[in-house]
């Protein structure tokens, strides 16, 4: 078996190279997963923004403030 004998010095380097390759693949996989989720989230957000009426929070707050002011003035008059 000529190919089964390890070459000199390749024991630890081979292990380190395998660990580095695994780490690189893991980082690449994580980055691709992040890009996919980020892109999908943006697409869903754009779809929701176009197709659903988003309430105007500032307008609602002004209406609530006006109602509260009207209730405050009502008992004093």
């Amino acid at each position: 078996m000529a190919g089964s004998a390890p070459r000199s010095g390749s024991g630890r380097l081979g292990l380190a190279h395998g660990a580095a390759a695994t780490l690189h693949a893991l980082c690449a996989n994580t980055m691709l997963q992040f890009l996919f989720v980020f892109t999908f989230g943006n697409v869903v957000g754009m779809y929701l923004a176009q197709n659903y009426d988003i309430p105007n929070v500032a307008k609602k707050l002004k209406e609530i403030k006006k109602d509260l002011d009207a209730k405050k003035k009502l008992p004093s008059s």
Side-chain angles (χ1 to χ4, degrees):
M1 296 193 188
S4 63
R7 288 178 279 191
S8 62
S10 67
R12 291 189 180 213
L13 285 178
L15 182 63
H17 178 69
T22 303
L23 182 62
H24 179 70
L26 181 65
C27 289
N29 186 19
T30 304
M31 186 167 46
L32 286 175
Q33 184 178 2
F34 170 77
L35 289 174
F36 175 75
V37 170
F38 181 78
T39 304
F40 183 72
N42 280 332
V43 169
V44 169
M46 287 186 282
Y47 174 80
L48 291 175
Q50 289 177 358
N51 293 314
Y52 292 98
D53 187 23
I54 299 172
N56 188 349
V57 177
K59 185 178 177 183
K60 293 285 185 186
L61 288 175
K62 286 180 184 178
E63 290 175 4
I64 292 170
K65 185 178 178 183
K66 188 168 59 170
D67 290 341
L68 288 174
D69 289 341
K71 287 181 181 179
K72 285 181 184 178
K73 291 179 183 177
L74 185 63
S76 63
S77 53

